Amino acid sequence: MSKRPLRHGSWPSPIGAGAVARHDGMPNWPTAVGEEVWWTEPRPAEKGRVTLRRARLDLPGLPAETVLPAPWNVRSRVHEYGGRPYALVRGAAPDAGPIVVFSEFSDQRLYRCEPGPLRDAAPAGSGGAPTVRPLTPEPEIRAGVRYVEPIVPPGRDEVWCVRETHLGPNPTDVERDIVAVPLDGSGADRPEAIRRVAAGQRFLACPRVSPSGDRLSWIGWDHPDMPWDSTRLYVCDLSADGRAGEVRTVAGGPGEAVVQAEWGADGTLYCVTDPDGWWNPHQIGFAADGGAERAPVNLARREEEFGGPLWQLGSSWLRPLRDGRIAVVHGRATTALGVLSPDSGAIADVTTPHTEWFGRLTSGGAADSWVIGVAAAATLPAEIVAVSTVTGEWRSLTRPRDGDLPDEPFADFLPRPKARTFRGEGGREVHANVYLPHHPTVTGPEGVAPPFVIFVHGGPTSRAPMVHDLEIAYFTSRGIGVAEVNYGGSTGHGRAYRERLRENWGVVDVADSVAVARSLTDEGTADPARTAIRGGSAGGWTTAAALTFTDVFACGTIQYPILDLAGWRTGETHDFESQYLESLVGPWPRERARYEERSPVNHAERITAPFVLLQGLEDEICPPVQCERFLERIAGRVPHAYLTFEGEQHGFRQEATIVAALHAELSLYAQVFGFETDAPALELRR
């Protein structure tokens, strides 16, 4: 069937902003106890809260159940980005069902809930809301004591986790430690019942206790390093009463970043680290007498990544199995789930239609016979997937979601992404994911290149995967192309590629985004007069910098950005990233001139392209004060709009906010590129 020509941007699409918002986010943090698998799930329509869901591996026909009703919000604020916010504890009786311990977003306390078992005949939810009671005390500062990455040490009636305590008014008035929280609730009224287990570094992650209960491992680092720069893996012996002994460093150090460590069933310690420039799996053995550790051994020396950046604590790219093998997530432009044999280094990848596996592995079922993770593809939304290590079969635990299959009604309108490598300045490689406009019955006018939007991911130490994304489809189904740039500094391509951004933030990321835009226009894929740029957080920084220091883009969408490097470095952000710019820009205050020269806020007079600026008013990472300072210097010169959102932190989670932001962005492009749209008109003011 021939397609009818229609002006790019005006194509009719069933993918509305509401559909994007309702399916924003992905199921996350799978955890298993026996046959039960639990995970977190976002609810944009319920003020952006996060709930807990669960299903059973041995009852595939049983629908998934929501455990916690509103207003419970399962989300940690440690480092502001949070991480794995809950743990499961086996019930006292075999048929009692697991106990869940979770971090509640509103006050950041730990709570205990016993919903009972998930049964085929009588689902636990049929008896009403489960009882929830606190395990930690109410802090003096609201949400000032936070917990993340809880674990359950063998043989102990405690949950151990990373605790972050805010001590004063400044963002850097913080201390962190690993603590033991009693499961009986005694710590809720008696803070002294919560016991410190380990401390010593500014940042701590990945606390793990060996199966025999006699050793504790964790990852630590200090300012000015970030967890992808330099970290150390520590181990200490534990006494019978859970007291920590002498601490030893077993991996990591300057120029090496350990991002995960897990104990095998036999007491072997496995970790993901990059002494050779790639995050590969390593094995750390112990002497037969329990003495000195053997040096880490690389189990799969490959120029691909088996790990990623620790933006959220609890990430898991490696999972030792009971039979001695190791489940691993690995790849570069795309990632796969494989099973690694430590003896040979061979990896057998599982066969599923998913092209992206996230660092969220766990295992469950009888004899640890299932590997469970979060996976997606260009035509499959992110879902909780269980793969049998015995038969190789796989199943989704999250589809259907209450009978709603968001991918089916839009299947014909989803773009077909392609991973491409462009040439940037000096001939360097620049990786990007390109999504051409796509519609089943409409095409653009003959000989007319479509408008394009360059998407810049946040981080900047991160990457843009090629997955089902209705936000991208919202544009491509209307005739607007999208290119996601994995600029120099992105993860997925080794340390050398990641460190291209060292002291070059605002230079390399901007140049690489420009290189992709120009390459697309030079080859006739994109219209050079109708190219936009957009991004949030660090991507908002690159967007603002590109609009300030280049003339390539006709307009831009700037979301919760960094705009003033000097302000951000001197107190206008949280502790975790308060010295991030030491590596991205240079030592402060020695390089103060560089900070000021690169900041869009100091060169607002150079911006001539219209833009929309979107900001959450509760953002502790990129606070509104930076936007306000920037707009004071823009006033009266450039058409723009500034939209702020109550109740939103860093990134947008509420349905109404996501809808408003998408409508504003599409309206901007319609006005600048000259097409009609069904989005409400956005008023641009000078």
Side-chain angles (χ1 to χ4, degrees):
M1 181 179 70
S2 62
K3 297 183 178 183
R4 63 187 177 99
L6 195 62
R7 186 173 179 81
H8 294 107
S10 299
W11 298 359
S13 173
I15 305 175
V20 177
R22 286 189 294 275
H23 303 298
D24 186 68
M26 67 181 191
N28 206 351
W29 307 115
T31 302
V33 167
E35 298 293 339
E36 282 200 14
V37 179
W38 292 50
W39 62 90
T40 62
E41 192 167 282
R43 296 290 173 86
E46 299 176 19
K47 298 183 178 180
R49 81 178 184 101
V50 178
T51 190
L52 282 170
R53 303 264 284 168
R54 62 175 176 172
R56 288 189 67 94
L57 292 167
D58 57 346
L59 297 172
L62 185 65
E65 175 191 77
T66 298
V67 179
L68 289 172
W72 293 107
N73 190 353
V74 184
R75 184 175 150 211
S76 171
R77 285 186 59 187
V78 169
H79 295 178
E80 294 299 341
Y81 294 106
R84 184 164 53 81
Y86 75 101
L88 298 180
V89 184
R90 289 186 181 274
D95 60 348
I99 300 165
V100 61
V101 174
F102 69 93
S103 174
E104 158 60 31
F105 177 75
S106 62
D107 60 10
Q108 288 298 290
R109 299 169 74 184
L110 284 182
Y111 288 82
R112 167 179 173 152
C113 175
E114 299 178 54
L118 178 60
R119 299 182 186 276
D120 192 3
S126 62
T131 300
V132 179
R133 56 193 178 100
L135 295 182
T136 57
E138 186 172 353
E140 294 182 8
I141 301 173
R142 180 71 172 174
V145 182
R146 307 169 181 182
Y147 306 86
V148 74
E149 205 172 354
I151 62 168
V152 184
R156 307 201 65 84
D157 293 326
E158 298 171 323
V159 167
W160 291 16
C161 54
V162 174
R163 178 177 66 181
E164 178 181 272
T165 305
H166 291 249
L167 303 170
N170 298 315
T172 54
D173 295 338
V174 178
E175 70 174 14
R176 299 176 183 86
D177 48 15
I178 297 171
V179 296
V181 178
L183 277 169
D184 62 8
S186 57
D189 300 317
R190 295 188 302 110
E192 64 274 14
I194 298 175
R195 178 171 55 86
R196 172 180 282 186
V197 178
Q201 293 78 44
R202 182 79 178 187
F203 302 97
L204 304 112
C206 205
R208 299 291 187 268
V209 177
S210 62
S212 58
D214 60 353
R215 289 192 178 101
L216 169 69
S217 64
W218 71 94
I219 296 167
W221 69 96
D222 292 290
H223 280 318
D225 287 319
M226 297 298 286
W228 41 84
D229 294 327
S230 301
T231 67
R232 296 180 188 273
L233 176 59
Y234 299 98
V235 170
C236 70
D237 294 331
L238 293 173
S239 64
D241 62 353
R243 305 288 170 177
E246 181 183 355
V247 177
R248 295 102 68 191
T249 300
V250 297
E256 180 181 347
V258 185
V259 293
Q260 186 194 355
E262 304 288 345
W263 295 93
D266 63 352
T268 298
L269 184 59
Y270 300 96
C271 69
V272 178
T273 186
D274 67 341
D276 302 315
W278 295 86
W279 276 314
N280 285 177
H282 289 68
Q283 173 179 293
I284 302 171
F286 294 82
D289 61 0
E293 296 82 8
R294 303 187 185 99
V297 175
N298 194 329
L299 298 177
R301 192 180 302 276
R302 298 187 180 194
E303 290 190 350
E304 57 179 312
E305 303 283 39
F306 291 73
L310 275 181
W311 283 106
Q312 292 186 308
L313 302 186
S315 296
S316 176
W317 300 268
L318 171 152
R319 180 74 178 187
L321 303 175
R322 250 183 250 177
D323 63 9
R325 297 180 296 167
I326 306 169
V328 293
V329 171
H330 66 108
R332 293 184 67 169
T334 60
T335 57
L337 171 63
V339 179
L340 166 68
S341 172
D343 294 334
S344 65
I347 300 175
D349 287 341
V350 303
T351 303
T352 77
H354 306 94
T355 57
E356 184 74 24
W357 287 81
F358 299 89
R360 298 293 187 267
L361 293 185
T362 189
S363 57
D368 230 17
S369 56
W370 292 86
V371 174
I372 303 126
V374 181
T379 56
L380 287 174
E383 54 189 347
I384 305 296
V385 179
V387 180
S388 171
T389 60
V390 178
T391 66
E393 67 173 300
W394 71 275
R395 70 174 72 129
S396 170
L397 301 182
T398 48
R399 280 192 293 144
R401 290 189 287 183
D402 299 326
D404 183 17
L405 289 171
D407 52 322
E408 285 192 355
F410 307 135
D412 293 337
F413 294 85
L414 298 177
R416 278 62 170 166
K418 183 177 181 181
R420 294 190 57 186
T421 302
F422 297 93
R423 290 294 169 185
E425 291 186 2
R428 66 175 179 240
E429 291 185 345
V430 181
H431 301 284
N433 308 325
V434 177
Y435 300 76
L436 298 177
H438 178 78
H439 195 287
T441 62
V442 175
T443 188
E446 186 175 355
V448 177
F452 249 79
V453 183
I454 303 300
F455 276 37
V456 187
H457 67 69
T461 310
S462 184
R463 62 183 278 266
M466 288 191 300
V467 294
H468 179 284
D469 188 334
L470 286 186
E471 186 174 48
I472 290 175
Y474 178 77
F475 295 105
T476 57
S477 63
R478 286 169 167 77
I480 303 170
V482 170
E484 296 179 301
V485 184
N486 283 314
Y487 47 84
S490 301
T491 56
H493 300 280
R495 179 178 281 265
Y497 192 85
R498 193 165 75 241
E499 291 191 342
R500 282 185 189 175
L501 210 56
R502 196 166 190 89
E503 298 196 2
N504 280 303
W505 196 35
V507 179
V508 168
D509 49 321
V510 171
D512 286 358
S513 299
V514 167
V516 171
R518 284 181 169 159
S519 296
L520 290 171
T521 59
D522 289 348
E523 68 187 27
T525 300
D527 184 345
R530 296 188 295 163
T531 302
I533 186 168
R534 66 98 82 163
S537 187
W541 152 266
T542 303
T543 297
L547 294 177
T548 303
F549 301 113
T550 79
D551 60 359
V552 173
F553 302 102
C555 60
T557 300
I558 309 169
Q559 301 172 323
Y560 38 93
I562 300 162
L563 297 166
D564 182 351
L565 293 175
W568 211 67
R569 177 62 182 83
T570 57
E572 291 180 353
T573 191
H574 60 147
D575 182 59
F576 177 61
E577 293 179 89
S578 62
Q579 295 188 33
Y580 193 7
L581 300 186
E582 293 289 296
S583 59
L584 290 177
V585 182
W588 176 271
R590 190 187 75 193
E591 300 295 343
R592 182 180 190 126
R594 185 186 296 169
Y595 281 67
E596 294 177 347
E597 179 61 28
R598 291 186 190 172
S599 296
V601 72
N602 296 325
H603 303 279
E605 75 283 354
R606 299 180 62 171
I607 297 180
T608 59
F611 65 88
V612 59
L613 179 58
L614 308 169
Q615 178 68 46
L617 292 178
E618 296 180 7
D619 194 338
E620 298 287 341
I621 298 171
C622 295
V625 65
Q626 295 228 334
C627 292
E628 294 160 6
R629 191 180 306 139
F630 177 69
L631 291 172
E632 287 176 0
R633 303 177 188 184
I634 286 288
R637 295 189 311 96
V638 181
H640 68 277
Y642 180 43
L643 279 65
T644 60
F645 303 99
E646 296 278 358
E648 293 286 8
Q649 298 87 44
H650 197 62
F652 302 146
R653 293 175 173 82
Q654 300 182 39
E655 182 175 340
T657 302
I658 297 167
V659 168
L662 277 174
H663 282 164
E665 183 174 1
L666 183 59
S667 179
L668 171 71
Y669 301 153
Q671 294 179 54
V672 175
F673 296 156
F675 61 80
E676 295 181 355
T677 176
D678 55 357
L682 174 72
E683 183 180 0
L684 298 175
R685 298 181 178 180
R686 291 185 182 272

